[in-house]
Amino acid sequence: MVLNTREIIMVKRILAILFLVLAPVSARAADGYHLTKTISLPDAGGWDYSTVDSAARRVYVSHGTEVDVLDADTGKVAGIISDLQGVHGIAVAADLGRGFISDGRANAVVIFDLKTLKKLATVETGKNPDAIEYDPATQKVFAFNGGTGNATVIDAAKGKVTGTIDLGGKPEFAATDGTGLVFDNLEDKSTLVKIDARQQKVVQRWPLAPGEEPSSLAIDSKNHRLFVGCHNHMLVVVNYDTGKVVATAPIGDGVDATVFDPQTALVMTSNGDGTITVIHQDTPDKYHVVETVKTQKKSRTFTLDEKTHRLFVPAAMFGAAPAPTPEKPHPRPAIVPGSFSVLVFENSK
């Protein structure tokens, strides 16, 4: 079919209108996650895990010997839980109005009131409690002790230890499905353990090959999938009914945290190389990398606000590493005073 001059002009006009309408949408889709705010916090302490209480609109950030509590919407400091010895993680028991802090250097879990942020009690654990997880089905807190290779189980309401679980390796990140199952990585064994919270014992051990040195963990409880960030630049997806590895995806270097957003079907890892790897869940067993977001070097942990889909990424500037010694052959560089902050990323898609 041959178009006359008038018809050609009309087609060009229609295409131009379509371009103007669709171009902004395409541009926004291409943007993905981007930095929208930098929240500066005082002091030069290090950090580990962070946690968002989406319902209460609070962000808990581990920060050396304290926990900085931020308003999730404004970024303003809502309070500080201080006089700790070395914070690793924070677990929230909203149904009990209590929070729990793994204070690694104190070999203890500190219990605090969610409203007032006042410390209520201290519970002794194994050596160097690291990851900490609250299971609402049993109202138990699980503190995973990196120095003793076990988990201390605490009655969250009473603040009393109810048992100790031998894990058979060095625990890292943990996750719960909310029905009484708790999962944890064993970094030195490249193994995933499945814990029955009611029986307080390991009921399954699964190898994570081809993943090596697992460091982070997130859960999709609807589809019974676990997302394990491994130090050989790989995300491993595990069916936690069968223990089988069903998929893998490439990620950045130095992963230490993974989150899953069930509304957007995005799995994300924060990597020490200064990136976030964003992966889409096409089906429970099929995944592809969507984008790589630039953050800041050594920003290896983060947390997700499921209500707004914002990511909160602790970050800092670092000086030169000190000279090695026999006691510390691989010393860490010091944080530049006054440079600690939380970077907020939002998704424009």
Side-chain angles (χ1 to χ4, degrees):
M1 183 178 76
V2 179
L3 299 178
N4 59 38
T5 302
R6 179 177 293 179
E7 290 171 332
I8 291 173
I9 293 172
M10 288 182 64
V11 169
K12 287 183 177 180
R13 287 178 177 174
I14 291 171
L15 291 174
I17 292 170
L18 287 173
F19 176 81
L20 291 173
V21 172
L22 296 177
V25 175
S26 299
R28 287 195 299 272
D31 286 341
Y33 270 101
H34 57 282
L35 180 67
T36 59
K37 184 183 294 186
T38 299
I39 305 168
S40 296
L41 296 170
D43 300 325
W47 70 91
D48 202 352
Y49 304 126
S50 300
T51 302
V52 174
D53 183 347
S54 291
R57 311 308 302 140
R58 279 182 165 176
V59 183
Y60 296 91
V61 181
S62 65
H63 186 190
T65 58
E66 66 187 35
V67 175
D68 294 334
V69 186
L70 310 178
D71 183 299
D73 297 310
T74 67
K76 293 182 178 179
V77 176
I80 296 174
I81 306 169
S82 57
D83 297 323
L84 304 166
Q85 294 186 38
V87 179
H88 282 293
I90 306 97
V92 173
D95 54 333
L96 299 175
R98 290 182 159 198
F100 302 82
I101 301 166
S102 55
D103 194 357
R105 292 181 182 174
N107 300 326
V109 165
V110 175
I111 305 173
F112 67 95
D113 184 280
L114 291 179
K115 289 184 179 179
T116 66
L117 303 181
K118 291 183 178 179
K119 288 184 281 189
L120 302 175
T122 299
V123 182
E124 291 186 7
T125 64
K127 186 177 180 181
N128 191 24
D130 189 0
I132 188 166
E133 195 73 22
Y134 173 66
D135 175 52
T138 59
Q139 294 190 327
K140 292 176 181 176
V141 172
F142 293 77
F144 292 87
N145 307 309
T148 44
N150 56 19
T152 301
V153 187
I154 302 169
D155 183 308
K158 297 178 180 178
K160 303 294 183 182
V161 174
T162 62
T164 301
I165 304 172
D166 180 29
L167 300 172
K170 183 180 182 298
E172 265 290 339
F173 225 111
T176 177
D177 73 341
T179 71
L181 293 177
V182 180
F183 304 89
D184 188 81
N185 298 324
L186 301 183
E187 187 177 28
D188 57 341
K189 305 294 183 183
S190 295
T191 297
L192 183 69
V193 295
K194 180 178 182 179
I195 298 168
D196 186 310
R198 294 179 177 83
Q199 298 183 57
Q200 297 187 181
K201 70 176 184 179
V202 174
V203 292
Q204 295 283 346
R205 296 178 185 272
W206 298 316
L208 288 168
E212 298 174 2
E213 296 183 68
S215 179
S216 63
L217 186 64
I219 190 167
D220 172 7
S221 55
K222 178 183 176 181
N223 293 303
H224 290 208
R225 296 294 183 269
L226 291 165
F227 309 109
V228 188
C230 299
H231 275 265
N232 61 333
H233 306 158
M234 183 181 294
L235 180 83
V236 173
V237 184
V238 178
N239 179 326
Y240 67 73
D241 291 326
T242 65
K244 292 183 178 179
V245 174
V246 296
T248 63
I251 61 174
D253 182 60
V255 60
D256 206 24
T258 300
V259 299
F260 174 65
D261 189 335
Q263 294 182 43
T264 62
L266 293 177
V267 187
M268 291 166 277
T269 67
S270 54
N271 314 307
D273 61 7
T275 64
I276 292 173
T277 306
V278 182
I279 300 166
H280 187 265
Q281 181 188 59
D282 304 326
T283 72
D285 293 343
K286 186 177 180 182
Y287 300 79
H288 76 277
V289 175
V290 175
E291 63 174 326
T292 300
V293 182
K294 185 178 180 181
T295 58
Q296 198 163 306
K297 279 282 188 180
K298 299 186 182 298
S299 289
R300 55 188 175 78
T301 63
F302 68 158
T303 188
L304 165 74
D305 179 3
E306 290 191 11
K307 181 178 179 180
T308 63
H309 312 289
R310 294 189 186 111
L311 303 177
F312 294 85
V313 185
M317 301 298 292
F318 290 82
T325 64
E327 294 77 19
K328 293 184 177 181
H330 304 288
R332 294 182 178 181
I335 294 174
V336 175
S339 70
F340 183 71
S341 61
V342 175
L343 311 178
V344 183
F345 289 81
E346 297 190 47
N347 195 342
S348 60
K349 291 183 180 180

